[in-house]
Amino acid sequence: MNTVISFLIAARHQNKVKSVLWIVCFLALLSGSAWFILRELHVSMDAEVARVMQTYTRVRTNVISTLDIMDQQLTADPCSADYAAQQRRVAFLPDGMNELFFFESGKIICTANNGLLPKPIDLGEPDILPANGFTVTLWLNRNLEDLGLGGLKGAFAVRGNHGMVVPTTPVEATASKWLQFEVVIRAHDGRWWHASGEPGLYAASITEPDGPMGLREGALTTIQCDPAGLHCIAARTTIGQLLGLGGAVAALSLIVCGIVSAWLSSKFYALLARHWSFESRFLRRFQSRGVTCAYQPLLDLEKDLVTGCEVLARWHDVDGTLIYPDRFIPIVEEHGLTQPFTRLIVERAHAELLPLVPLGKRMQVNFNIFPRDLDASVLLDIFAPFLGSASRFDLTIEIVETGALDLETAQGEIERLRDAGVHIYIDDFGAGYSSMHTLAGLSVDGVKLDRSFAMAPDESVMARMLDHAIDMVQDSGRKIVVEGVETAARLGELKASGKVHFAQGYYISRPLDREAFARFIAERGPRPSARPRLVA
Ligand code: C2E
Ligand code: CA
Ligand code: CA
């Protein structure tokens, strides 16, 4: 999962992600439209087959109605001259049944066109017995030679003593361009005979299983049988055949799918980009997971001991990358989350630092707050965990001055905070808006000189200004912290000056996680006080 997310959020994979999205959209659209087209084709096929089936329904109806008329109208003595005349009258009806006959004991005795046969035609065993409401016995595909129709074939249909020759009805006469059909006649026991159309279609349709989307070897097939189950029609069309007829439409559909996929994938990408943007990732996770604290040791120069730390926020991205505050602090401010954020850091730091305070000692803990949160009642509530363990911690709040800071209001809040036991430092003094005016106007406990002073190369203007800044703060009677101490030489100078109370910087230590800070404080921090002896 992490690999997928890392891939998604890496800017260098943008084009790959876009291409994959396009392909997914294209395939989805293509299979969606293919499914829709195939479903519509199936519906059209079924309608075509039903239309073709009407021809065969008509044949069956004609057979039954002709037999009914024969039963009614052939009243003369079978095979007499009157009978023959009655037969010819029935045969004249426009129903396609012309060769009617009298049938007795399995044999045709006389016919409308041939009269009394010199030798009765023995039909033998019938192929299909009456079943399912179709009350007629059938002999299929019989040679009509003996009836004077040499070279022709037809079926004999008999009910009682009356029967007729049913000519074969070819399916081609009604077929459509894009379908092949096979008509079969079925007996109720499951045997079937090819009647018309393309041989083999019906057999394939009933034996081969349906593939995906109802396709079988690139072809669509369907079968319909009449209610009596006598005639069944199998129909088939192949993709090749359809493309031959509608190739231009298919090409156009591909182009449309391609264009719509480009549009859709760009929308999806925008959604994805928004969902996985740094800002969304941070906002989704910051409350529950991801935010941790780093502790940068504060070196007490007089005691030469690490007596405290500054708490610095860190965030672990979804792929585990460690993110520094410059990227997420602006998001916290923009979304008005400054108070819950500080509360989270305070609670975490309190839980992690409490076990590290050496026995009988206090630890100074410096926090950065957002300038907009400089409101004593809010801050006293947020820092309640530390104020509640005031015997273990010296709580210090670092305030960066911004243009928006109203000195008079700030002074009121600072006084209330100091009354509650909170120390206040001006952070980044000498950079941005902070000024002598601020220093004079706010009754803060200390001042942290901006790290650009200590980090400046020796002999640079900034380095020379460091001494002046220290003197200036010293004159104001505030404690001095110098941060950004990166070299032994600079630390030595600060110690030698005798004016600086605390130093902070990479030379002393980089910001550390809880475990590393615990080891550091055990090594460089104050020794725990000896346990007081119990006097008996
Ligand atoms: P800051 O308050 O000035 O914190 C000191 C920054 O200087 C830290 O950067 C620290 O890693 C860096 N630093 C310390 N010693 C040295 C050094 O010797 N050399 C150099 N080059 N850098 C050093 P970080 O942790 O990236 O924090 C940046 C800023 O983000 C902080 O500046 C602070 O303004 C803000 N910040 C950090 N955590 C919090 C937080 O929990 N709440 C608020 N409101 N702001 C925070
Ligand atoms: Ca700070
Ligand atoms: Ca600072």
Side-chain angles (χ1 to χ4, degrees):
M1 187 60 188
N2 260 359
T3 329
V4 177
I5 292 169
S6 309
F7 187 87
L8 282 177
I9 64 180
R12 65 182 189 283
H13 292 140
Q14 257 186 34
N15 285 339
K16 281 183 212 153
V17 174
K18 280 181 185 167
S19 310
V20 169
L21 276 179
W22 183 85
I23 292 170
V24 169
C25 288
F26 185 72
L27 290 179
L29 274 179
L30 206 62
S31 40
S33 9
W35 175 83
F36 178 76
I37 290 170
L38 288 176
R39 203 192 59 159
E40 289 301 301
L41 279 173
H42 246 296
V43 172
S44 307
M45 274 173 91
D46 285 342
E48 279 290 273
V49 172
R51 194 176 62 76
V52 172
M53 184 64 92
Q54 282 173 7
T55 314
Y56 297 91
T57 306
R58 206 160 34 242
V59 172
R60 284 193 313 278
T61 314
N62 286 349
V63 168
I64 300 283
S65 62
T66 307
L67 285 168
D68 290 345
I69 295 169
M70 286 169 86
D71 288 349
Q72 278 167 22
Q73 297 188 9
L74 302 186
T75 50
D77 276 350
C79 300
S80 64
D82 284 347
Y83 186 86
Q86 287 173 339
Q87 266 188 329
R88 277 198 297 279
R89 206 164 282 133
V90 177
F92 189 67
L93 291 172
D95 54 11
M97 305 301 160
N98 302 317
E99 186 61 307
L100 311 180
F101 55 77
F102 179 75
F103 184 81
E104 197 168 47
S105 310
K107 292 178 183 136
I108 299 174
I109 311 295
C110 62
T111 77
N113 295 322
N114 296 285
L116 191 65
L117 297 174
K119 187 174 166 241
I121 302 171
D122 189 343
L123 291 183
E125 279 300 305
D127 293 315
I128 295 176
L129 294 171
N132 303 332
F134 188 69
T135 51
V136 180
T137 308
L138 292 171
W139 287 258
L140 303 172
N141 275 333
R142 297 298 162 116
N143 211 322
L144 303 181
E145 186 101 46
D146 295 342
L147 296 176
L149 298 166
L152 294 182
K153 284 193 163 188
F156 294 103
V158 171
R159 190 178 72 190
N161 290 117
H162 296 134
M164 72 198 71
V165 176
V166 185
T168 305
T169 309
V171 75
E172 283 77 14
T174 52
S176 68
K177 265 196 273 172
W178 59 286
L179 287 174
Q180 296 101 49
F181 297 93
E182 182 184 16
V183 184
V184 300
I185 299 181
R186 281 194 333 185
H188 66 281
D189 60 8
R191 287 175 304 142
W192 54 270
W193 293 262
H194 167 83
S196 171
E198 197 173 306
L201 263 188
Y202 177 77
S205 308
I206 56 170
T207 50
E208 286 166 18
D210 259 353
M213 295 196 192
L215 280 171
R216 286 173 187 162
E217 294 177 356
L220 274 179
T221 55
T222 187
I223 297 180
Q224 269 180 43
C225 296
D226 67 65
L230 186 68
H231 285 105
C232 285
I233 301 177
R236 182 183 69 171
T237 183
T238 62
I239 298 293
Q241 216 171 345
L242 291 170
L243 285 179
L245 285 171
V249 177
L252 194 69
S253 311
L254 279 182
I255 295 171
V256 170
C257 278
I259 294 170
V260 175
S261 305
W263 178 80
L264 264 182
S265 59
S266 75
K267 292 280 164 207
F268 280 138
Y269 185 78
L271 265 181
L272 207 65
R274 211 174 315 138
H275 185 77
W276 288 111
S277 70
F278 180 80
E279 185 167 328
S280 312
R281 295 198 307 267
F282 176 77
L283 290 173
R284 260 201 310 280
R285 283 167 51 94
F286 100 85
Q287 295 270 28
S288 55
R289 285 163 293 157
V291 172
T292 56
C293 298
Y295 306 98
Q296 189 171 28
L298 277 168
L299 182 68
D300 182 322
L301 292 186
E302 199 190 320
K303 298 180 186 155
D304 198 27
L305 286 175
V306 170
T307 52
C309 62
E310 177 177 5
V311 181
L312 297 162
R314 299 287 180 262
W315 183 65
H316 295 266
D317 204 342
V318 281
D319 61 349
T321 314
L322 188 70
I323 308 292
Y324 290 89
D326 55 321
R327 286 193 68 195
F328 58 81
I329 289 288
I331 300 173
V332 172
E333 287 183 309
E334 198 181 312
H335 289 267
L337 296 167
T338 54
Q339 291 179 21
F341 183 83
T342 307
R343 194 182 292 278
L344 194 74
I345 295 292
V346 168
E347 283 167 3
R348 253 165 226 189
H350 184 260
E352 292 190 343
L353 292 178
L354 195 59
L356 304 186
V357 184
L359 195 70
K361 303 285 172 199
R362 295 160 70 85
M363 184 188 281
Q364 179 179 339
V365 185
N366 288 26
F367 282 95
N368 296 286
I369 60 150
F370 294 89
R372 67 170 74 160
D373 295 338
L374 184 56
D375 174 327
S377 48
V378 169
L379 293 177
L380 291 177
D381 180 48
I382 289 177
F383 286 97
F386 280 91
L387 296 169
S389 358
S391 59
R392 320 294 309 276
F393 295 107
D394 281 323
L395 173 64
T396 303
I397 287 176
E398 301 183 5
I399 303 167
V400 181
E401 198 197 345
T402 68
L405 198 72
D406 170 55
L407 281 188
E408 212 173 302
T409 322
Q411 173 58 21
E413 303 300 333
I414 286 170
E415 277 171 15
R416 287 175 59 203
L417 286 166
R418 292 185 70 201
D419 288 347
V422 183
H423 304 288
I424 311 288
Y425 279 27
I426 294 177
D427 199 1
D428 297 347
F429 185 79
Y433 292 92
S434 49
S435 62
M436 289 306 299
H437 193 224
T438 320
L439 186 56
L442 300 178
S443 56
V444 295
D445 298 87
V447 171
K448 254 184 145 173
L449 293 188
D450 189 68
R451 62 177 181 264
S452 52
F453 288 110
M455 283 163 57
D458 294 337
E459 308 306 326
S460 63
V461 180
M462 278 301 274
R464 283 202 300 278
M465 279 167 68
L466 173 62
D467 296 333
H468 299 300
I470 292 171
D471 288 340
M472 215 161 63
V473 179
Q474 196 194 26
D475 290 345
S476 74
R478 317 283 201 261
K479 283 194 172 172
I480 306 173
V481 185
V482 176
E483 62 179 342
V485 178
E486 292 189 337
T487 60
R490 179 89 347 125
L491 183 61
E493 287 160 27
L494 296 175
K495 271 185 189 164
S497 77
K499 299 171 186 167
V500 177
H501 300 85
F502 295 99
Q504 184 183 342
Y506 289 173
Y507 177 69
I508 300 155
S509 168
R510 285 179 175 264
L512 304 169
D513 63 21
R514 184 200 170 278
E515 284 67 33
F517 182 62
R519 285 194 296 273
F520 198 88
I521 198 110
E523 231 172 75
R524 308 259 321 253
R527 300 281 107 210
S529 313
R531 281 177 188 277
R533 282 222 191 118
L534 289 174
V535 183

